[in-house]
Amino acid sequence: MSNVALRYIDRVEALPGYRLLVTWTEGRQMTLDFSEDIKRGGIWAALASPEAFARARTARNGRVLEWPEPTNSRGEPAIDVDADGLFEMGIDQQATPCGVAAARADS
């Protein structure tokens, strides 16, 4: 049996430059940078306008970050990130040297 605790998102707030301030239920905050994803295009191109990106929200009791548009063929959000993957993304961005990524963790 694993002792890995699941991460839960309390809230998200859109910041300039395709960044999100994520507050976890235990109180920790991370600023995550999605600008490279947006630049890469593909499905992320749908979030290229600041207004569309700012619609980020939590879902599934805080276990998922999603955007309401675009949707898939079943009408469900097509872009989502599970909370554990989002947390790892923040840790990875924190480890990026010289501020290339705009992630920070505040305890």
Side-chain angles (χ1 to χ4, degrees):
M1 180 179 257
S2 174
N3 286 336
V4 175
L6 296 176
R7 299 285 176 179
Y8 290 88
I9 305 163
D10 184 44
R11 65 183 176 276
V12 296
E13 177 186 341
L15 302 173
Y18 302 110
R19 296 176 302 133
L20 290 177
L21 175 62
V22 177
T23 303
W24 304 95
T25 55
E26 76 272 5
R28 184 174 186 169
Q29 292 186 315
M30 290 179 162
T31 300
L32 291 114
D33 185 345
F34 287 84
S35 62
E36 290 301 315
D37 299 297
I38 305 287
K39 283 183 201 173
R40 202 170 23 255
I43 189 76
W44 292 96
L47 303 178
S49 81
E51 296 80 17
F53 183 78
R55 292 188 189 110
R57 64 186 184 194
T58 62
R60 297 185 216 149
N61 297 317
R63 288 290 300 140
V64 172
L65 166 72
E66 68 180 18
W67 284 266
E69 298 291 332
T71 58
N72 62 23
S73 61
R74 296 180 304 277
E76 301 164 338
I79 303 174
D80 62 14
V81 183
D82 72 88
D84 298 319
L86 192 67
F87 188 83
E88 290 301 317
M89 178 183 171
I91 296 298
D92 288 348
Q93 286 185 2
Q94 245 186 312
T96 303
C98 300
V100 172
R104 76 171 201 276
D106 302 318
S107 298

